[in-house]
């Protein structure tokens, strides 16, 4: 089955600087990669996703890049703000037809330092 | 509805008891998923429904866990003979179709004493 690894586990960034979180996956046929933001005690919130037919996707201050050859994808947050502080999870859907389950990484606790 | 709704938000019960957790997906979403999240970890897949049928139940840890979705909308996750290790946040998500974005509810925090 799919295995997703995520780094770093914690990340502290000065307000206004950029943050990058990286994930690798094991199933070369995986084709959908979402990122979720989870604040303490709240639901995971989908913030951006990418499919395997594109290499990059951007939405305002958030971007995701995908390298299928290397089987890794990254989340980039620019001009960080205090409200970006949260735990971020990457995830992937494996290749089996009808297999819709997300396999999540272990999370990155992002702290924005004012 | 506006989003995925889960009830109860919190459930505390004694070891050995039976519990039911309810999920009301986004209106019109055909796919429904249950995940379990332990403290400090990412959600782990339990079961996935497409319509009324369980398309993949490979994540259910053992036969004490069972889920139904009889009318293709609301789903109930049922846990028999609860154990302390079952304590976690149980998350439900729904999506509108194949590889559609999955949107999560607030979860049910289950505590087994």
């Amino acid at each position: 089955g799919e295995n997703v690894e995520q780094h770093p586990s914690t990340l502290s960034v000065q307000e206004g600087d950029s943050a990058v979180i990286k994930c690798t996956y094991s199933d070369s046929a995986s084709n959908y990669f979402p990122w979720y933001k989870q604040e303490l005690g709240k639901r995971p919130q989908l913030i951006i996703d990418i499919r395997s037919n594109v290499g990059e996707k951007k939405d305002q201050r958030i971007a995701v890049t995908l390298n299928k050859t290397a089987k890794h994808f990254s989340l980039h947050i620019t001009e960080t703000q205090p409200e970006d502080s949260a735990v971020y999870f990457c995830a992937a859907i494996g290749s089996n037809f009808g297999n819709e389950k997300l396999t999540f990484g272990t999370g990155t606790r992002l702290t924005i330092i004012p | 509805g506006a989003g995925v709704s889960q009830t109860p938000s919190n459930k505390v019960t004694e070891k050995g008891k039976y519990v039911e957790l309810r999920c009301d997906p986004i209106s019109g979403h055909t796919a429904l998923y249950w995940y379990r999240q332990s403290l400090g970890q990412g959600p782990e897949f339990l079961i996935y429904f497409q319509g009324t049928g369980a398309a993949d139940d490979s994540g259910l840890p053992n036969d004490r866990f069972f889920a139904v979705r009889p009318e293709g909308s609301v789903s109930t996750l049922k846990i028999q003979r609860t154990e302390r290790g079952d304590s976690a946040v149980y998350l439900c998500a729904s999506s509108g179709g194949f590889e559609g974005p999955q949107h999560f509810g607030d979860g049910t925090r289950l505590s087994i004493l």
Side-chain angles (χ1 to χ4, degrees):
Chain A
E2 177 71 277
N3 182 53
V4 177
E5 296 189 355
Q6 183 171 348
H7 301 280
S9 57
T10 61
L11 179 61
S12 294
V13 174
Q14 285 291 138
E15 181 178 356
D17 288 350
S18 296
V20 180
I21 302 170
K22 300 181 179 181
C23 289
T24 61
Y25 60 97
S26 61
D27 186 345
S28 58
S30 289
N31 47 23
Y32 175 65
F33 308 91
W35 285 88
Y36 287 85
K37 174 184 179 182
Q38 189 173 32
E39 298 177 55
L40 189 63
K42 301 285 184 65
R43 68 179 70 187
Q45 178 187 2
L46 179 68
I47 55 172
I48 196 166
D49 56 11
I50 191 167
R51 299 188 184 275
S52 59
N53 57 344
V54 298
E56 183 173 0
K57 183 177 179 181
K58 188 174 182 179
D59 182 4
Q60 299 182 18
R61 298 186 296 109
I62 295 173
V64 57
T65 59
L66 172 64
N67 183 326
K68 288 183 61 180
T69 302
K71 292 189 288 186
H72 69 70
F73 56 113
S74 300
L75 177 71
H76 305 254
I77 306 174
T78 59
E79 301 172 20
T80 53
Q81 302 168 2
E83 53 265 38
D84 294 330
S85 294
V87 178
Y88 290 80
F89 291 98
C90 62
I93 282 183
S95 59
N96 297 334
F97 179 77
N99 175 4
E100 296 282 292
K101 66 183 181 185
L102 288 171
T103 300
F104 283 83
T106 49
T108 297
R109 180 173 300 279
L110 175 63
T111 302
I112 307 302
I113 304 167
Chain B
V4 178
S5 176
Q6 291 187 247
T7 55
S9 55
N10 285 282
K11 177 72 176 178
V12 181
T13 192
E14 295 179 341
K15 177 185 170 183
K17 299 292 186 182
Y18 168 83
V19 297
E20 288 190 351
L21 312 179
R22 175 189 168 107
C23 173
D24 199 343
I26 293 171
S27 178
H29 277 190
T30 57
L32 184 147
Y33 315 80
W34 285 98
Y35 294 84
R36 178 167 72 174
Q37 187 174 26
S38 299
L39 192 63
Q41 299 183 18
E44 293 181 316
F45 172 79
L46 296 176
I47 186 169
Y48 151 56
F49 288 89
Q50 183 61 251
T52 60
D56 183 354
D57 65 357
S58 62
L60 295 178
N62 52 60
D63 61 5
R64 296 187 297 105
F65 289 75
F66 189 72
V68 295
R69 195 186 185 199
E71 298 178 357
S73 178
V74 171
S75 175
T76 304
L77 178 65
K78 307 180 181 190
I79 310 174
Q80 298 178 320
R81 305 183 303 279
T82 51
E83 299 178 357
R84 292 198 177 89
D86 298 336
S87 297
V89 176
Y90 288 80
L91 293 164
C92 178
S94 70
S95 75
F98 181 64
E99 291 184 354
Q102 294 183 26
H103 298 280
F104 283 83
D106 287 330
T108 294
R109 183 174 299 277
L110 178 63
S111 299
I112 308 299
L113 303 179

